[in-house]
Amino acid sequence: MELLQGVLRSPQWGGFNPLVGSFEDAFAKYQGAEFGISAVNGTVTLEMMLACAGIGLGDEVIVPAISFVSTASAVTRVGAVPVFVDIEPYSFNMCPEAVRRAIGPRTKAVMAVHFGGSMAEVDALMGICAEKGVLFLEDAAHAHGSEWNGKRAGSFGLASSFSFQNGKILTAGEGGMVLTSDAEFAGNVRSFANQGRRPGYSFFHHFEAGNNYRMSALHAAVLTAGLERLDGQIARRTANWAVFLEEFGGAEGIRWQSIPKAVNRNAWYLVLGRVIGGDRDGFVKRVQAAGIPCTPFYPHPLYGNPMYVSGTAACRVEPCPNTEAYIRDAFWIGFRALMGDEGVTREVARAVRAAI
Ligand SMILES: Cc1ncc(COP(=O)(O)O)c(C=O)c1O
């Protein structure tokens, strides 16, 4: 509240308020990157990242077939072609071997998504990217605070993109950020998001046809306060997940996401699972009826969206048997279900078990 009031009393509510810069620095540091460039949402940050990585017309970017649409549409919007690859069984993340098979002469980058907060196989993916000479990028919209062998999401490749949209674990209603540790790249992204301005020149000097994607200071105030609470919230969800599993016991019919050992810290944005041999939609309805935020998986893989089916937007689709199966039987439970005390968590686990 104090931070918000500070902004409201200041003459600068927009992106030039120093609070925006200080939130960028704090979040970049939190994730283990040197530079943060904030923006109005986590879709334009993907576009900023891809465009400034030199990805454009005729290039291909490899993405998982399961994600929110922005992972693919950002590739389309910069003029490139998304190449959809399958996810691994149970991790819900892109399969490194499928990525290796999909890389072709036009491939410029691989963009991993850390689905639900549990991280994709970054070592294997980065190894393949290095071997094939393509960029590694992260769509880390789900993974604030997640770690792979002690290194935070968003700090692995050339750059990463985060979202602070309303449903995310760190939110101001809307918002996004590109992170990078490459100073020149950071400068280009900043210029892109700030109408082509460059440091040291006048306000009316524009070096390229950038856009105004600046985050407002009101958003930065809310996010600064939220960032202070994030560690405690992740710790609470981590502890509650252990309680949940204990209470859930060995009930058959659900198989939960497997979290790789290297993920030593999971943001727990989504609890992911599959209904094995049962009626997924009936299960989800029963969980929802118990007041728990539960969603059936996406209704189709990314390549099932009308723009890709009709050919309005070009894409390439690799074989995706796991993806197709998950569309039929997977679901997620929102992170809020893990935000209660121990008693509430046990109740949630019992309600989920009863819904099978
Ligand atoms: C994986 C992924 N990438 C990108 C986005 C886009 O973020 P935003 O809603 O802030 O534009 C989302 C949003 O839900 C997402 O889930």
Side-chain angles (χ1 to χ4, degrees):
M1 228 26 205
E2 263 169 49
L3 286 168
L4 262 178
Q5 279 169 352
V7 175
L8 289 170
R9 289 200 186 101
S10 81
Q12 178 54 272
W13 293 10
F16 297 109
N17 186 306
L19 191 60
V20 177
S22 66
F23 173 66
E24 290 173 337
D25 291 347
F27 187 70
K29 193 166 168 215
Y30 184 78
Q31 296 296 145
E34 273 188 53
F35 307 101
I37 303 95
S38 61
V40 289
N41 60 58
T43 301
V44 295
T45 50
L46 288 170
E47 280 181 50
M48 283 155 53
M49 173 171 82
L50 291 164
C52 293
I55 292 165
L57 216 59
D59 296 332
E60 288 182 347
V61 178
I62 300 187
V63 297
I66 294 271
S67 184
F68 183 66
V69 67
S70 310
T71 308
S73 60
V75 175
T76 299
R77 285 186 62 81
V78 298
V81 174
V83 178
F84 298 109
V85 298
D86 208 3
I87 55 170
E88 299 172 305
Y90 296 106
S91 82
F92 287 71
N93 280 320
M94 78 197 307
C95 169
E97 281 317 303
V99 169
R100 181 193 293 282
R101 284 193 296 273
I103 290 176
R106 290 168 175 253
T107 307
K108 278 279 166 63
V110 171
M111 185 156 70
V113 177
H114 306 305
F115 204 84
S118 178
M119 290 178 63
E121 292 280 340
V122 279
D123 292 335
L125 290 169
M126 287 183 75
I128 293 167
C129 288
E131 188 189 312
K132 301 279 187 182
V134 303
L135 292 172
F136 180 67
L137 302 169
E138 292 169 82
D139 178 351
H142 296 185
H144 320 67
S146 291
E147 282 182 15
W148 179 273
N149 285 329
K151 193 167 154 56
R152 294 247 162 119
S155 66
F156 285 86
L158 170 66
S160 61
S161 166
F162 285 81
S163 164
F164 307 118
Q165 168 269 340
N166 200 55
K168 300 298 184 292
I169 59 168
L170 177 59
T171 184
E174 303 288 355
M177 201 182 293
V178 171
L179 298 184
T180 182
S181 292
D182 181 314
E184 190 184 343
F185 184 80
N188 292 339
V189 176
R190 171 76 66 203
S191 176
F192 191 93
N194 188 23
Q195 292 155 322
R197 295 187 180 90
R198 292 275 171 184
Y201 293 88
S202 93
F203 194 75
F204 298 113
H205 243 73
H206 306 276
F207 288 83
E208 61 239 319
N211 212 319
N212 175 5
Y213 286 144
R214 296 184 304 271
M215 173 183 279
S216 84
L218 297 165
H219 288 80
V222 174
L223 290 164
T224 300
L227 187 56
E228 277 168 29
R229 292 195 294 268
L230 188 57
D231 280 340
Q233 292 172 342
I234 291 176
R236 172 176 278 238
R237 289 195 290 275
T238 304
N240 278 345
W241 179 239
V243 169
F244 180 103
L245 282 183
E246 186 188 284
E247 187 67 39
F248 187 78
E252 282 180 18
I254 300 291
R255 187 152 166 197
W256 301 108
Q257 181 185 30
S258 58
I259 313 290
K261 278 212 174 59
V263 178
N264 59 289
R265 193 172 192 251
N266 185 0
W268 287 113
Y269 169 54
L270 301 173
V271 172
L272 297 158
R274 295 180 76 185
V275 178
I276 306 298
D279 164 20
R280 189 268 315 267
D281 293 344
F283 165 79
V284 168
K285 281 198 185 103
R286 290 188 287 278
V287 176
Q288 286 171 342
I292 297 164
C294 186
T295 308
F297 219 53
Y298 297 112
H300 39 237
L302 283 174
Y303 53 79
N305 277 294
M307 63 178 150
Y308 296 118
V309 174
S310 66
T312 314
C315 72
R316 183 152 71 79
V317 184
E318 291 285 302
C320 292
N322 295 330
T323 298
E324 302 272 351
Y326 279 48
I327 292 299
R328 292 190 295 272
D329 64 19
F331 64 93
W332 66 68
I333 295 176
F335 69 91
R336 290 182 178 87
L338 294 180
M339 294 298 288
D341 61 18
E342 187 183 328
V344 169
T345 307
R346 288 191 187 280
E347 257 180 61
V348 169
R350 285 196 293 274
V352 173
R353 196 175 55 203
I356 299 171

